[in-house]
Amino acid sequence: MKKVFAVIALFFAFTLSATAQDSKQKDPNVLAKNELIALMKVVEIDNTLSTAINSLLLYKHETVLKSPEMKEELAATIDGKLKGTFTPEQYSKIKKNKVLYKDLLY
C-alpha cells in the first residue's frame, strides 16, 4: 500500500514540474522580454523605445496565444512598426539577423 502511494506521489510530482516548465516557456512576459533583449544586442535602444517595443511584443504573444490564426496579420503589423520606429540602417541590421527578425515577427 505504501508503494502505491509513493508511485502516485511521484507521478504527480513529475507532472507538476513538467507543467511548470511548459508555462514558463509560454509566458508572454518572458517571451517578449527575451526578444527585446535579443533586439537590444543588435541595435541600440533607449528606455522609452524599449518600453514601447516590449509592449508591442507582449501584445503579439498574448494575441497569438488567444488567436493563433492572426499570426500573419500581426507579423505584417509588427514589420510595419519596426520599419517606422527604427532608422533604415537599424532596420537593415534587424532584418539581416534572420533568426531575430523571425522571432520578432512570429
Side-chain angles (χ1 to χ4, degrees):
M1 193 67 161
K2 289 181 184 179
K3 290 182 181 180
V4 172
F5 286 126
V7 169
I8 291 173
L10 285 174
F11 172 75
F12 283 118
F14 286 119
T15 304
L16 290 175
S17 69
T19 304
Q21 289 175 354
D22 287 343
S23 66
K24 285 181 186 175
Q25 290 176 339
K26 298 196 184 229
D27 181 25
N29 290 316
V30 173
L31 294 171
K33 186 61 86 177
N34 289 340
E35 289 176 2
L36 180 63
I37 291 169
L39 179 63
M40 291 172 79
K41 290 178 182 176
V42 175
V43 293
E44 190 175 320
I45 302 173
D46 64 8
N47 286 340
T48 307
L49 186 57
S50 71
T51 304
I53 299 245
N54 189 51
S55 297
L56 176 68
L57 294 172
L58 183 60
Y59 171 75
K60 173 191 79 167
H61 287 292
E62 288 173 345
T63 305
V64 168
L65 258 163
K66 293 175 188 170
S67 312
E69 66 275 359
M70 292 186 63
K71 204 174 208 180
E72 292 298 323
E73 185 179 325
L74 275 171
T77 302
I78 291 172
D79 186 45
K81 292 206 182 258
L82 291 175
K83 270 185 197 173
T85 302
F86 293 106
T87 65
E89 295 83 25
Q90 289 174 321
Y91 181 73
S92 68
K93 280 184 184 178
I94 295 167
K95 203 161 181 176
K96 283 179 185 174
N97 189 333
K98 299 286 185 195
V99 174
L100 172 64
Y101 186 68
K102 184 181 174 195
D103 283 346
L104 291 173
L105 296 186
Y106 299 100

